[in-house]
Amino acid sequence: MFINDLEQCQWIRQKFETPGIMQFTNEEKRTLLARLVRSTRFEEFLHRKWSSEKRFGLEGCEVLIPALKTIIDKSSENGVDYAILGMPHRGRLNVLANVIRKELEQIFCQFDSKLEAADEGSGDVKYHLGMYHRRINRVTDRNITLSLVANPSHLEACDPVVQGKTKAEQFYGGDSEGKKVMSILIHGDAAFAGQGIVYETFHLSDLPSYTTHGTVHVVVNNQVCYRRNGHNEMDEPMFTQPLMYKQIRKQKAVLQKYAETLVSQGVVNQLEYEEEIAKYDKICEEALTRSKDEKILHIKHWLDSPWPGFFTLDGQPRSMSCPSTGLSEEDLNYIGNAASSVPVEDFTIHGGLSRILKARGEMVKNRTVDWALAEYMAFGSLLKDGIHIRLSGQDVERGTFSHRHHVLHDQNVDKRTCIPMNHLWPNQAPYTVCNSSLSEYGVLGFELGFAMASPNALVLWEAQFGDFHNTAQCIIDQFICPGQAKWVRQNGIVLLLPHGMEGMGPEHSSARPERFLQMCNDDPDVWPKISEDFAVRQLYDCNWIVVNCSTPGNFFHVLRRQILLPFRKPLIIFTPKSLLRHPEARSSFDDMLSGTHFKRIIPDAGPASENPAGVKRLIFCTGKVYYDLTKERSTRGMEADVAITRVEQLSPFPFDLLEKEVNKYPNAEIAWCQEEHKNQGYYDYVKPRLRTTIYRTKPVWYAGREPAAAPATGNKKTHMTELKRFLDTAFNLDAYKGLS
C-alpha cells in the first residue's frame, strides 16, 4: 500500500492476494495445526517456567513457524538441500526448537543461571545464538541441512553474513545457479525499512561474485503481529500503549482460532486437538527434566558453521606449530615469471601495463620483489596447494593505487579479460578477485560469511582506503573482534587496510590502528610465559592478529602463515601506499626461501648493531615511518648512535623478542616513534607493554605528532612541518624531556 504506482499494486494483488488462491487439503490443515501447536505451546511453556526471563518470544506471530517450515518443505521438494537462515532475536528460540530442531534440553538449560561455561570465551545470550543441523525433512523424505547464523542485537547485521555464507556453500558445492543452496532472511518491519544494511545487501544481488540467485525474505509486521508480553517480556507495554494492549489482552490466540475453525469443519475433533497439545507439553516437560542434568554449557553445540576434520590430524589435535612459510627458488621464479606475462594469445594489454610487467620480469631476474609481486607469490603458492583465494573490495582487481593488475583487459575487444593467476598450475584452486559495490558494511559482512564456510580458503577484504573501514564498524565490533569469544566461531578473514600519512588529508591517511589495538585481548601488564611454541601459542590465545609490515617479504610470509597455522584468526594488516613503489621497500628471494618465516620484529642490522654498547638511543617503530627514520639517521650521520627496530606484529605483542632487543643495547634510551598523532596510532598500546618488557626500569619516550582530533592535516606544508618536527624529536635526546 506504500507503492505509489497503481499498476505495481494491482500486479501484487493479482499475484499474491487473489481470494482463494491457497486451498489446503485436510492433511495439510492438520499439519498446519500441529505446527501451530508446537509454536504456541513452546512460548507458553517458557512463559510459565521463566516468566521473568527475557526471551523475545513469538506471541502474536506464532504462524511464522509453520510459514518457515512450509518454505523449507517446498524448497526441499524442488531440490534444495541446504538452507541458511538469518534473523533477529524475536522468535529465535522458537525457530531453533521447531524449525532447526535443536534439542529442547539444550535450549532450556540456557535458562539456568548456575550453568557453567565449558568453552573458553564470554559466550552470548541465548537469543543471539545460531546452530547447524542436518536432518531428514519428513514431508519430502530428503536430507536437508539447516544453518541459523548467530546475530547480535544489531537486528539486520547478519543479512550480508548469510548471503556470503550462502555464496560460499554454492561455490564449493558447484551450485552455480543456486538450485541446491538457498538463503532465508527474516526481518522485523521497522528494521527492514529503517536499517541501511538491508539495502546494502540487496545491492549485492546482481553482482556476479556476490549474487546468491535469490533470497526468500520473511518480513514480520510487529504491529499486527502483536507481542502479547511486550517487547522482551520484562517491559510493561501499558506504560506507553495502553489502548493497544487492552485490545491485545482480549485477542484470541491464532492457535485457538484455527483449532475452532478446523473443529467446526470436521477436520479434527476437540479430543484430537487436546491430545496434540498434551503430547507436545509432555515433550517439553521431559526435556526440562533432562536439562537439569546439564551442569556445563557447551557453546560448541550451537555452532552455525562447523569445520569437521580441520582441528584434528589423524584423530589427534593439531600441534601448536607452524611450518616454514617460505618457498623454493624454483617456485618463486615460476610464479614471478607468470606474474610478468600474459597467458592468453592475441591479447592486447595497455602500454603502461606492458612496462609494469616488464619491470616485474626484471625484478625476478634480480631475485627481488616489490609489494605487488610478493602478494602475487603468496597467492600463487597457496593456489598450488589447493587453497581457494577470494579478494574482494572496491577496485581490488586493478588495486586502488594501480599496483596489482590481477585482471587484464584487452585493449581492442570490449569486456575481454584475463586473470593470469587462474592459469598458474594444473589442477590449482580457483582465484576469485572481484570489485565490490560501493559498500563497506555489506561487503565486509558478506566476506565474513564467505570465510565462515571453509577454513581452507584465504578470504581477504581490502578497503579502498583504510579510513573507510569505519562504515563497516558494526561487522568488526560484533562479528570479527569478539566472534570466537561470543560464539566459539573461528574465522580467518583478512582485512587489508591502506594506511600512512602521505599529506593526503584526514580521509585518506589513517586506518585507525588505535581502535583495533584497543580491542585486543592481551594484558599489557602481564609478562607471558615463554615456551618453545610461544609465538604460535600467542596467536592461538589472541582474538585477532594485527600487523604492519615494512617489507614485501614479511607481507608474503604473513599471508601464507594465515593458512599454514593449525587454527584460524582474523588478520588485520595495515598496508602501505607510498611503499608500494618505494625503491627501498624491496625484499630479496633469500628472505622468502624454504626455511624462512614471518618476522615478528626486524632488528637493526647496521653499524649500531655491531657495537650495541655504544648505542645511545633505541627507537622502536612500525611500518612506513621506518624509511623516514633511516633517511633522517643517515642525513645526520648517526648510524652508530641510534638503533632502529621495527615491530612488524603489534598484536599479540612480541614481548620475548623486544626484551632481547632492549638487553642488547644496555646504555640506550628507549623511544617509540610513530607518524600518527599521540592519541592515535600505536603509542597507547605499545607503551605499557614496553614498560612491562623492561620491568619499568627506564622511561619510554615518545616521538610523533601531537594529539589531534582529526587523523591528519589537509595542508601539505603543515604535513611536512609536522614530519620534520617529530624526526627532530626522534634524534634529539633533549627533545624527549616532558614528552613521555
Side-chain angles (χ1 to χ4, degrees), residues 340 349-363:
S340 313
I349 60 174
H350 189 275
L353 188 52
S354 295
R355 290 191 292 275
I356 290 172
L357 297 188
K358 184 179 179 182
R360 281 184 189 170
E362 290 300 314
M363 277 194 290

Side-chain angles (χ1 to χ4, degrees), residues 159-173:
D159 293 2
V161 180
V162 167
Q163 298 300 83
K165 180 171 164 55
T166 303
K167 182 66 175 180
E169 298 293 356
Q170 291 174 350
F171 180 86
Y172 296 126

